[in-house]
Amino acid sequence: MTNKFKWNVDRSSIGKPGPSGIGGVLRNHHGILLGIFSLSVGILDSNVAELRAVVKAIELSASNCFLHHKHIIIESDSANVISWMNNPHNRPWIHHKLFSSAQRLASCFDSITYTHSYRESNHMEDHLAKQGVHRISDFVAWL
């Protein structure tokens, strides 16, 4: 389907909690790279950092008019975060602002699907997340 776009997101944390970075890669239905991001998110627990990566992918998608009214897939290797996104009753209340932001921005799209992937398939986004730990400023590129 030509109106499907997939983000693969990841986080990197040094310690629990510890300095954390997030990264993401956006591809179209042909697997062509369309965008990437890498940034530091401060000192966080790994689950919260991964949640921040998911929300960042949604924010970037919402900021790009081309992606409005499309089907967005967000894939993460965090089973916890994917469970939280798919089951609102399981969400930790302490992060309600992040979930509310994601839910509000989701109205820009026809749908958002959250799926789990295994760590072995997250090469580029893993590298971007590791770079993000040490970034001073955010890196976002649309290709």
Side-chain angles (χ1 to χ4, degrees):
M1 184 181 260
T2 59
N3 63 347
K4 283 191 178 182
F5 298 86
K6 182 169 81 167
W7 281 102
N8 292 88
V9 299
D10 203 4
R11 57 86 186 111
S12 180
S13 298
I14 302 171
K16 190 171 176 113
S20 301
I22 59 175
V25 176
L26 176 67
R27 293 183 177 90
N28 68 10
H29 66 285
H30 292 296
I32 296 172
L33 186 65
L34 300 175
I36 60 176
F37 70 86
S38 174
L39 57 121
S40 173
V41 290
I43 296 175
L44 295 175
D45 165 276
S46 59
N47 283 319
V48 179
E50 191 86 22
L51 176 59
R52 294 280 304 271
V54 168
V55 173
K56 184 66 173 180
I58 296 168
E59 290 171 349
L60 289 171
S61 297
S63 74
N64 186 329
C65 307
F66 176 75
L67 296 173
H68 290 192
H69 308 293
K70 303 290 193 294
H71 299 281
I72 305 297
I73 300 164
I74 299 180
E75 195 171 83
S76 163
D77 62 4
S78 171
N80 286 339
V81 172
I82 295 304
S83 174
W84 295 342
M85 298 308 293
N86 285 324
N87 303 299
H89 301 294
N90 293 340
R91 295 175 177 170
W93 67 267
I94 195 163
H95 306 303
H96 74 278
K97 287 183 182 180
L98 286 171
F99 294 118
S100 294
S101 176
Q103 190 169 350
R104 181 178 44 80
L105 293 171
S107 65
C108 295
F109 316 108
D110 282 351
S111 67
I112 297 184
T113 304
Y114 303 98
T115 62
H116 180 260
S117 66
Y118 293 99
R119 183 170 304 279
E120 294 79 22
S121 65
N122 282 0
H123 299 293
M124 187 183 294
E125 52 275 20
D126 179 58
H127 184 68
L128 290 165
K130 286 178 180 173
Q131 286 182 340
V133 171
H134 306 289
R135 284 198 184 278
I136 295 170
S137 60
D138 296 359
F139 173 77
V140 177
W142 294 103
L143 309 170

